Amino acid sequence: MTAALVRAAGDLARDMAGLDLRGRIRLVEDRIPGRLVFTTSLGIEDQALTHALALNKGRTEIVTLDTGRLFPETYDVWTETEAAYGIRIRAYAPERVAEEAFVAREGINGFRHSVAARQACCGFRKVEPLGRALEGAAAWFTGLRAGQSANRADTPLAEADEGRGLIKVNPLADWTRADVDRFVRDNFIPYNTLHDRGFPSIGCAPCTRAVKIGEDERAGRWWWEQESKKECGLHLHRPEGDVAPGQEAAAFEEPASAATSREHRRELV
C-alpha cells in the first residue's frame, strides 16, 4: 500500500504542475475517491484555497482547528469567510480533559517553559484535533508553500503521508507570497487584517508576533525558540517526536509592539 500511495502522489504532483489552482483542485477531486479534507488556518494562503474550493463547489470538506487561543482577527475573518461564500467551516477543538490538565500542570502560558512543553500544547490543541479531522480521509489539502521557510523548501504539490495513510495535497507549493497576495487582491478574497500589520504567518495569539525586517515568513512563530525547524507538529510525519537538537528553549523575548508591527507593515502586492 505504501508503494502505491507514493506512486499515486508522485503521479498527481506531476499532473498538477501545469494547471491553475481550480484545475489542480478538480484533478484531485476527480482522481482520488473517498473523503477529502482541507484544514484551513484562515491565513492568506488558506483563504486563497477556500475561495477556489468554494467556487468549484466540489466535495472537499473545509475544516479548521480552533485552538482556543486564536487572535480576535482570526475569528473575524472566519465569520466573514462563511458569509462571503455561504459555507460553514467545521471546527475541531482541543479535548477538554487534556487542556485542563496541561493548564493545571504548566500554567496558562506554560508552553514557554520549554520546547517540550510547547510541543505538548500544540499536541492537544492542534495535532490531536487534526487526527480527528482527518479520520478516514483519503487526501488532505493544505496551504503549504515552499517559500514559507527553509524547513518547507522541498514542499511538493502532492506527497504520500505514510503515517496517516493518505495523500497530502499542497496546491500552492510552487506559489510565491506575491502570487498569493495578487490572487487575493484580484479576487477580493477576505483575509486576516493582521497580514497588513507585519504578520505573514498567523497562529495562536500568544505564540505569534510580527516579523522583523529580513526575517523569513515564519520567524514570528514561537519566536523564543531556536530558529531551526520550528513546527507545531501538523506537518511532521512523526509529530510525536522528541525535541530535536537546537530546539531547546532560548531566552524569552517579548513580542513586537503594535508600533513595531505598523513599522513592518507588509502591503498586499
Side-chain angles (χ1 to χ4, degrees), residues 168-202:
K168 186 175 178 180
V169 184
N170 312 304
L172 303 179
D174 55 354
W175 285 34
T176 65
R177 178 53 187 264
D179 293 332
V180 176
D181 289 348
R182 188 178 304 109
F183 185 83
V184 167
R185 179 199 65 199
D186 291 349
N187 290 282
F188 304 98
I189 298 172
Y191 69 92
N192 195 319
T193 58
L194 289 173
H195 290 308
D196 289 339
R197 306 208 297 270
F199 290 76
S201 178
I202 303 168

Side-chain angles (χ1 to χ4, degrees), residues 66-157:
D66 183 2
T67 67
R69 301 300 301 270
L70 302 177
F71 285 94
E73 292 87 346
T74 301
Y75 292 108
D76 288 344
V77 77
W78 181 349
T79 301
E80 187 179 357
T81 301
E82 289 188 332
Y85 296 106
I87 61 174
R88 275 284 178 264
I89 299 173
R90 180 178 178 181
Y92 286 83
E95 292 287 359
R96 176 180 58 80
V97 173
E99 180 175 14
E100 291 176 355
F102 178 87
V103 173
R105 182 177 68 251
E106 301 288 349
I108 188 62
N109 286 341
F111 44 80
R112 289 176 178 156
H113 295 163
S114 68
V115 176
R118 194 272 294 167
Q119 289 176 336
C121 188
C122 289
F124 75 78
R125 292 191 188 278
K126 295 183 176 182
V127 179
E128 189 280 331
L130 175 69
R132 284 186 276 120
L134 295 179
E135 186 174 355
W140 171 26
F141 282 94
T142 85
L144 295 183
R145 290 189 297 104
Q148 288 171 325
S149 69
N151 196 40
R152 296 181 175 183
D154 296 328
T155 300
L157 289 170

